[in-house]
Amino acid sequence: MPTSQQLNGTPLRVLLVEDNADDAFILERHLRRAGYSVFVRRVETGEDMREALSAESAWNVILADYHLPTFSAPAALTLLKSTGHDIPFIMMSGAVDEETAVSAMRAGAHDYIAKQNLARLVPAIEREVKEAEARRARRQTESALRSMEERFHRLVEAMPLALLISDIDGRITYANQGIENLLGYSQAEIASGAVTLSRIFGTSGIGLPCAVGPSKTSEPAEVECINASGARVPVLVGSAELNPGSQDSAPQIAAFLVDLTEQRRSQEVLRRTEKLAAAGRLAASIAHEINNPLEAVTNCLYLLGQMQFDEQARTFLDLAQRELNRVVHITTQTLRFYRQSTKPIETDLHELLETVVALYEGRLRSQCIQIEREYGQLPPVVVHDGEIRQVMANLLGNAIDAMASSGGRLVLRTAVSRDWATGREGFSFTIADTGTGIDAATRAHLFEPFYSTKGITGTGLGLWVSRGIVEKHGGRISLRSHAAQNGGTVFRIFLPFAAPPVEIASTPLLQVTA
């Protein structure tokens, strides 16, 4: 037991519930002789005690006489508990019987001291003050731990990675919001135990993150997970054991999942783009090589035309010349179509449009599609001719696809125009078809990347790329379509004569109307 010298100079703030001033004086003198630098505040009623607890919260100990005229130690103990303060509470009385002491301790008092035997008071105060400090330190530690756990939980929930924790048998014990976003399994479904690693990674166990090596971690690997709807989702998964070497708890495995869907899709688009580019280069190369024998055949037909033939032979010769001229035209336009310009050049828009029509001439004839040209008077325009040709080809190809089953009319219009939203002068070209039309649900997603209505034959990039090219030129693309009644779709592209730099995040350049 520590001596009074060990307590010398120790500050002590005492809240004393006592109605007898003499007893209070004796108690304070005893504590000072014991080496405390003591401050005592005496209260006699519940109101005084409540005011003291609210005004002075840093009390080291509360000493309470068992009986007061209008108050009591049990009532003071009840009041203390209602405030939530953790302050050592010691009851005192002139006469102590065992039953009263036991009752006081059961009520929550930390000790019970007889006023006639104050020798036990100092050790009791020292013990209870130390225990109160220990409890306070423990609460602070627990609060810090809870705070750290809350921060960690918020961090785990907010991170873009999907995280799940499982036991060594594959039962999932925790999954963050990223798992629900990636795979569609709800927190309730995961908590019920219905979702296991085998269900997510397949019964074969390939790619199970619990298969960690001797280093207690696994190298990230690309695998496929099964989502809530049964579809397979490509992911990059890495795992690690959370408690390696622990003898007190069963092993737990943490698995981190990264969605690779967009990456796979981008790789597929890149592959298709490279194939298209290779096909374009091959077509241009073939067209270039064909030009040489075409020139020879053209010269031969010219020389034959200088000779005398009967009427039937002359008819066949003229027919061969016309068809050869068509072949020459197609090869020339193929070369021009795949020859990209590195800077805007002055271009005849009508000639540009006709080069695209020439590429689709065979399909137009085979599908019995009539072309109506309504060209206005346009001055030469300055554009990236290869890119604008690509926009025309995308829109023209879509229009032909829309009329594949029953033929129809394709109307091409050009005109000097104005963008009424910005007041800029420019020109417009319109491609209208009499096809099946586009419903409202499809129109809402039509210009999104990878959205296609052509199944496996479409990349879903044609209109998205076209919009990007038009925006690059400072223009605007708009759409009108009717899926009901007679159908039909009209695409209108406006391009300014002088295209200033455009901030894509400014006013929307795409307008889709019913």
Side-chain angles (χ1 to χ4, degrees), residues 315-382:
T315 300
F316 288 148
L317 182 62
D318 291 342
L319 178 61
Q321 183 65 57
R322 286 196 301 272
E323 293 302 316
L324 181 61
N325 289 339
R326 290 185 61 249
V327 173
V328 171
H329 180 70
I330 290 174
T331 55
T332 302
Q333 299 310 322
T334 301
L335 278 172
R336 294 185 61 185
F337 188 84
Y338 291 103
R339 185 182 298 121
Q340 300 295 325
S341 59
T342 59
K343 61 181 180 179
I345 61 174
E346 192 174 89
T347 306
D348 185 332
L349 187 69
H350 297 152
E351 182 182 354
L352 201 63
L353 194 53
E354 288 301 322
T355 62
V356 178
V357 173
L359 294 177
Y360 289 99
E361 188 172 348
R363 290 183 61 188
L364 292 169
R365 283 205 312 270
S366 64
Q367 295 177 207
C368 301
I369 297 175
Q370 299 178 355
I371 295 185
E372 297 181 8
R373 296 170 174 83
E374 300 178 5
Y375 293 163
Q377 295 294 327
L378 292 181
V381 295
V382 178

Side-chain angles (χ1 to χ4, degrees), residues 73-87:
L77 180 59
T78 302
L79 192 155
L80 174 65
K81 289 182 177 180
S82 68
T83 64
H85 293 299
D86 182 10
I87 303 174

Side-chain angles (χ1 to χ4, degrees), residues 15-18 41-54 68-80 82-83:
L15 180 59
L16 179 62
V17 183
E18 175 64 68
R41 178 171 177 178
R42 185 168 66 89
V43 297
E44 300 183 24
T45 65
E47 292 76 9
D48 292 342
M49 180 177 177
R50 188 182 303 276
E51 190 274 333
L53 289 173
S54 60
L68 283 79
T70 60
F71 202 32
S72 67
L77 180 59
T78 302
L79 192 155
L80 174 65
S82 68
T83 64

Side-chain angles (χ1 to χ4, degrees), residues 212-223:
V212 295
S215 63
K216 305 303 181 182
T217 60
S218 68
E219 291 296 327
E222 294 186 14
V223 300

Side-chain angles (χ1 to χ4, degrees), residues 371-418:
I371 295 185
E372 297 181 8
R373 296 170 174 83
E374 300 178 5
Y375 293 163
Q377 295 294 327
L378 292 181
V381 295
V382 178
V383 294
H384 290 269
D385 60 337
E387 294 180 354
I388 298 302
R389 187 185 290 112
Q390 183 178 357
V391 174
M392 293 175 174
N394 287 335
L395 298 180
L396 195 63
N398 288 342
I400 294 173
D401 290 338
M403 298 183 288
S405 59
S406 58
R409 290 185 304 114
L410 184 64
V411 181
L412 307 178
R413 299 188 186 96
T414 63
V416 174
S417 184
R418 176 191 295 270

